[in-house]
Amino acid sequence: MAPTSSSATPIHRSSSRPQLDLSGAAIQGNIEERDPTILLPNQSDDISHLALDIGGSLIKLVYFSRHEDRPTDDKRKKSLKERLGVSNGTRRSYPILGGRLHFVKFETRKINECLDFIYSKQLHRGGIDPRGWTSEPQVNENAIIKATGGGAYKFADMFKERLGVSIEKEDEMNCLVAGANFLLKAIRHEAFTHMEGQKNFVQIDQNDLFPYLLVNIGSGVSMIKVDGDGKFERVSGTNVGGGTYWGLGRLMTKCKSFDELLELSQRGDNKEVDMLVGDIYGGMDYAKIGLSASTIASSFGKTISDNKELEDYRPEDISLSLLRMISYNIGQIAYLNALRFGLKRIFFGGFFIRGHAYTMDTISFAVHFWSKGDAKAMFLRHEGFLGALGAFMSYEKHGLDDLMAHQFVERFPMGAPCVGGKIHGPPLGDLSDKARNPIFTSKNILFADYNSERGHDSREEDQTIIISGVIVHHISWMEKFVQKGTEILAPVPMAPPGTTGLGGFERPSSKGETLRSDDAALNVGVLHLVPTLEVFPLLVDPKTYEPNTIDLSDHSELEYWFTVLSEHLPDLVDKAVASEGGTDDARRRGDAFARAFSAHLARLMEEPAAYGKLGLANLLELREECLREFQFLDAYRTIKQRENEASLAVLPDLLMELDSMSEESRLLTLIEGVLAANIFDWGSRACVELYHKGTIIEIYRMSRKKMQRPWRVDDFDAFRERMLGSGGNKPVPHKRALLFVDNSGADVVLGMLPLARELLRPNLSVRLAYTQNAENNFKGNCPNIHSGIPCLARYVVLVANSLPALNDVTAIELPEIVAEAAKHCDVLRKAAEAGGLLMDAMINIQDASKDDSSSVPLMVVENGCGSPCIDLRQVSSELAAAAKNADLIILEGMGRALHTNYNARFRCDTLKLAMVKNQRLAEKLVKGNIYDCVCRYEPAS
């Protein structure tokens, strides 16, 4: 591809493409579902959820699938959304369905496997409901799918013949830029640098994204200056690219594949063929101009003086010399073009890179060297799918243009770290229901070897292969995984840092004995599109917010936490299997889960950045996602129910004890109660050992008796003064308090609910300070259920997990717990009735909302996650709406207040409460010991 310059036009949007007809749009099925499917009764055109980039070597495929099998909502949630003004989290005039973006690759020479895959999922017809996948969709002769790349022309007839669809071709460069812009704006930690074997992720402010240089290295190289969406220009290029490397390498080494040539380079020593500065200057540096002895003076220059034939040189050395020659050349030309236009950011992508560590190191070194460190080479995790993504976005009304990073969650299915976890077959119905699984005929049987890492929906199980009407074999993805799932791909070994000097690579830091394959190197998961996720509005600075307190870039820290998770695994598997009745099927799934999660840990231990920037919160969420992959939806369900019942039985006595105290004593006792109740955590080995010595209630009582101040972190006095006042200072009631609850059982029942009750009850100290002057100020601003008598907080919002994680209480479970607790407490009963948390008060909810849509003293909202930790960059739209008027946050528990958010700063008063149940965390975070208490109060920033 010779260097040229041309102006760009925006992505072509043909009027012939399918359009969304929104007339008569209605929710299909239960209108109270969390993300209900929207039925378009007048839709005449098929809406494709598939786009392809068909290159000469690889077919890259991006497809969309709707979220399925979400739990249904009840009337409370519908009423809550109305009260909070939440409209399904969308600001668009057309429906955006929650779902997943999948990334799949096939070798172009195996295009029939790609066609079989598309047919099996009916992707060319907009996808199908996995529960009714066997029904034959109605054929639409006008159906089209979008594609880019040379194969869009070459294989158009094959798509028409096999799938009955026409290919609408999109300009390749338009798609590359559109795909890159989308990734850089919408995906957190998409871009990274790669120097000396170290991958470092870079978060780019989308408001400061443009301009940048996009260098696409295919057979040739195109260099594109990108100034905005649809605004770009090809400013340069070179015909020395990936094709040059592969072509010359094939001639000189007799390699049969591009990967084989790259693998040879891993074992090469370029000084055997390259002329170095030291060869010219007797082994010395040329220090005057900053060149070390190891700098390449002339690629292949040493072969001039050697009296050797081609066969006398090692293919490994030739391959490495070629790779460095071409990579350095591309890096230098890219930098010169960046310098020409004053660009600091250069993004590299294309088939040539393929996630190959040494290639990225070489390019990075060249840019760093020639710019003297002023410019950086950056790479994209999804770089292999830029064209396919751009083609996918060219469909009108997909609604991806204005989606933000907080609305995408990347998850890695169970097969991601494994070679042997191949998955075949149709979408999973029921693991135990073989009758529901489909039968493939020889016409549409899917033989393609693709694994769940490549974006295939991992909830897939069985396939009966039929040849000439005879059942040959019954394949189960789980059986294959159990058999093969522990075959971990060997990563590229990393040499210690410091092996690279300004003069060049003395020893390539990313060299090793094995090369990770292209499929493994591009570790991209499934992008879950959740339009109802938002950034928590009370963060002081969302751009600098980092949820993780523990730095897992420290290898010893990483090793410690991996050991903790591994040691906890057998107990977790036991609980998970028991939650499913201990059946043979449950044990089989438990074994498979253990293998899958262990494989993930082993993969990440070898290469921590394999799945993106790694934090403890990510690890814990990966564990929960892995459980759900194997259909363990709530491993601690039975345990939680038992603990809730035991705690509710003693709640009346606790409330009676609290009511006998003065307000100041009661507030201290309540905070002590929260800390004591937080002692137990099924994720803590020490706590599990405690549990074997007594019941949760006994442990709670023991913890209460040992509560002694000062605590390790003790800001209680400052918190008490803010809540109750001191001296002549008059306390100002909070408008709305957000209480982030943690565990089921004693934690929520005996800890957080009594605290919520205290915030809502008539408060003597506030009442005494409630002068006539203050009364005039408070009128209309602080009404309550107690005849207008002020309380510590006007409204209380209990924030709980959307999905189960260990023994954490969920937003679905919490209303029932509140209802049971309310039987013993008039304050909770009245507040819960007004908030619609009691079933017998449901008939009054709608009427109450008409009077004052925000006057809900007590409500429950979900936080949008299913992990023991919480990333406040991605919370539910309900929580974001509830937080807008909040002026007090109480974060409780190790996961939410220590593992994450301990250093977070908020625009309102914040109290962080937790008992430390991990010795390592105690030493690192609070310089203390296990079972130390943290009561950290931070006034509004």
Side-chain angles (χ1 to χ4, degrees), residues 26 42 124 143 150 157 177 249 324 358 383 446 505 526 552 619 680 762 777 795 816 835 843:
N42 300 317
H124 55 307
D157 291 342
V177 173
R324 296 184 68 176
Y358 188 68
E383 59 91 9
L446 177 61
F505 290 101
V526 178
L552 294 186
L619 270 181
F680 195 79
N777 294 330
Y795 310 123
E816 183 177 346
I843 56 175

Side-chain angles (χ1 to χ4, degrees), residues 193 317 379 679 786 863 938:
T193 60
D317 302 336
F379 307 91
I679 187 174
H786 304 291
N863 58 20
E938 298 160 345

Side-chain angles (χ1 to χ4, degrees), residues 59 91 139 149 323 370 393 402 405 423 523 735 774 792 821 887 899:
I59 300 172
R91 301 173 300 280
V139 176
L323 179 63
W370 291 109
M393 293 182 66
D402 61 345
I423 301 176
N523 288 287
K735 295 177 182 178
L792 296 179
D887 49 4
H899 287 151

Side-chain angles (χ1 to χ4, degrees), residues 483-508:
Q483 293 169 4
K484 300 287 187 179
T486 53
E487 297 177 15
I488 312 299
L489 280 167
V492 177
M494 300 298 184
T499 56
T500 302
L502 270 180
F505 290 101
E506 282 80 13
R507 285 181 56 81

Side-chain angles (χ1 to χ4, degrees), residues 111-233:
I111 189 171
N112 285 326
E113 294 179 358
C114 177
L115 294 170
D116 287 337
F117 174 76
I118 294 171
Y119 184 90
S120 72
K121 284 186 169 291
Q122 294 293 300
L123 299 178
H124 55 307
R125 292 177 181 147
I128 50 179
D129 188 330
R131 290 162 292 193
W133 76 277
T134 52
S135 59
E136 187 70 21
Q138 186 176 358
V139 176
N140 184 348
E141 295 298 330
N142 297 320
I144 63 167
I145 57 175
K146 293 303 197 70
T148 188
Y153 298 86
K154 182 177 180 180
F155 298 110
D157 291 342
M158 183 179 291
F159 275 81
K160 187 68 174 178
E161 179 183 344
R162 294 282 305 276
L163 300 177
V165 297
S166 299
I167 285 183
E168 185 166 315
K169 305 166 188 69
E170 293 291 331
D171 179 76
E172 190 168 359
M173 202 162 293
N174 287 349
C175 290
L176 283 173
V177 173
N181 285 348
F182 165 71
L183 290 169
L184 289 169
K185 288 193 296 183
I187 310 303
R188 184 174 290 115
H189 299 133
E190 172 65 29
F192 62 92
T193 60
H194 204 289
M195 286 285 286
E196 298 186 347
Q198 301 299 311
K199 182 186 292 183
N200 292 303
F201 291 92
V202 180
Q203 185 57 39
I204 298 171
D205 184 352
Q206 71 160 359
N207 297 317
D208 189 36
L209 171 60
F210 306 110
Y212 66 84
L213 188 68
L214 178 62
V215 181
N216 188 59
I217 312 173
S219 298
V221 183
S222 286
M223 299 186 184
I224 308 162
K225 179 176 176 282
V226 183
D227 294 302
D229 291 318
K231 299 177 182 178
F232 61 89
E233 179 184 4

Side-chain angles (χ1 to χ4, degrees), residues 13 33 152 182 193 220 419 515 589:
R13 297 188 182 278
E33 289 183 359
F182 165 71
T193 60
V419 176
L515 173 71
R589 284 186 284 124

Side-chain angles (χ1 to χ4, degrees), residues 596-670:
F597 187 57
S598 296
H600 277 296
L601 292 181
R603 173 78 176 90
L604 289 169
M605 192 65 208
E606 293 290 346
E607 190 178 344
Y611 300 168
K613 187 176 181 180
L614 183 63
L616 189 56
N618 310 107
L619 270 181
L620 296 176
E621 184 175 20
L622 178 63
R623 178 183 62 188
E624 302 304 324
E625 281 297 321
C626 205
L627 276 169
R628 288 188 276 272
E629 286 276 350
F630 289 93
Q631 296 188 357
F632 293 109
L633 303 182
D634 191 352
Y636 288 80
R637 179 174 57 245
T638 304
I639 292 172
K640 289 192 294 183
Q641 290 172 349
R642 185 174 68 239
E643 292 176 359
N644 288 336
E645 291 171 1
S647 301
L648 286 165
V650 301
L651 179 63
D653 293 335
L654 173 62
L655 297 182
M656 188 178 299
E657 177 186 331
L658 290 168
D659 289 343
S660 67
M661 300 177 180
S662 66
E663 286 177 308
E664 190 164 321
S665 297
R666 186 165 60 242
L667 186 60
L668 174 59
T669 302
L670 284 163

Side-chain angles (χ1 to χ4, degrees), residues 437-723:
N437 291 312
I439 296 177
F440 277 84
T441 63
S442 57
K443 177 181 178 181
N444 64 6
I445 187 169
L446 177 61
F447 285 106
D449 278 345
Y450 54 91
N451 63 33
S452 62
E453 173 190 324
R454 301 276 59 82
H456 184 30
D457 190 339
S458 62
R459 296 183 302 159
E460 310 212 4
E461 190 197 21
D462 296 332
Q463 172 182 313
T464 301
I465 298 180
I466 297 184
I467 300 177
S468 302
V470 179
I471 296 178
V472 178
H473 189 51
H474 196 66
I475 299 175
S476 161
W477 65 260
M478 189 170 295
E479 289 170 358
K480 291 182 74 68
F481 186 81
V482 171
Q483 293 169 4
K484 300 287 187 179
T486 53
E487 297 177 15
I488 312 299
L489 280 167
V492 177
M494 300 298 184
T499 56
T500 302
L502 270 180
F505 290 101
E506 282 80 13
R507 285 181 56 81
S509 57
S510 297
K511 284 177 61 178
E513 295 304 313
T514 58
L515 173 71
R516 187 180 300 284
S517 71
D518 180 42
D519 275 349
L522 288 175
N523 288 287
V524 294
V526 178
L527 290 181
H528 290 241
L529 166 59
V530 190
T532 53
L533 290 181
E534 298 186 27
V535 177
F536 190 61
L538 295 178
L539 289 171
V540 169
D541 187 359
K543 293 180 181 178
T544 60
Y545 167 77
E546 169 55 51
N548 293 287
T549 306
I550 305 299
D551 182 10
L552 294 186
S553 62
D554 181 337
H555 189 78
S556 64
E557 201 70 45
L558 183 71
E559 188 173 30
Y560 171 79
W561 288 103
F562 276 23
T563 300
V564 169
L565 292 174
S566 297
E567 290 178 347
H568 178 241
L569 194 55
D571 182 71
L572 178 59
V573 171
D574 289 343
K575 299 292 187 299
V577 172
S579 74
E580 297 289 318
T583 63
D584 289 341
D585 174 68
R587 283 193 290 272
R588 187 167 67 102
R589 284 186 284 124
D591 182 40
F593 156 71
R595 290 173 182 266
F597 187 57
S598 296
H600 277 296
L601 292 181
R603 173 78 176 90
L604 289 169
M605 192 65 208
E606 293 290 346
E607 190 178 344
Y611 300 168
K613 187 176 181 180
L614 183 63
L616 189 56
N618 310 107
L619 270 181
L620 296 176
E621 184 175 20
L622 178 63
R623 178 183 62 188
E624 302 304 324
E625 281 297 321
C626 205
L627 276 169
R628 288 188 276 272
E629 286 276 350
F630 289 93
Q631 296 188 357
F632 293 109
L633 303 182
D634 191 352
Y636 288 80
R637 179 174 57 245
T638 304
I639 292 172
K640 289 192 294 183
Q641 290 172 349
R642 185 174 68 239
E643 292 176 359
N644 288 336
E645 291 171 1
S647 301
L648 286 165
V650 301
L651 179 63
D653 293 335
L654 173 62
L655 297 182
M656 188 178 299
E657 177 186 331
L658 290 168
D659 289 343
S660 67
M661 300 177 180
S662 66
E663 286 177 308
E664 190 164 321
S665 297
R666 186 165 60 242
L667 186 60
L668 174 59
T669 302
L670 284 163
I671 298 302
E672 287 178 342
V674 171
L675 294 170
N678 190 238
I679 187 174
F680 195 79
D681 191 329
W682 280 102
S684 165
R685 182 179 180 182
C687 290
V688 172
E689 291 174 354
L690 265 183
Y691 182 71
H692 294 316
K693 301 175 183 177
T695 66
I696 295 294
I697 300 301
E698 289 171 338
I699 295 171
Y700 166 73
R701 286 174 175 158
M702 174 196 71
S703 180
R704 281 294 297 269
K705 290 178 181 177
K706 292 184 177 181
M707 276 289 145
Q708 291 184 351
R709 295 183 64 197
W711 301 313
R712 175 57 59 179
V713 177
D714 193 340
D715 296 332
F716 173 76
D717 292 338
F719 177 68
R720 180 194 58 210
E721 183 174 338
R722 170 62 185 88
M723 301 303 288

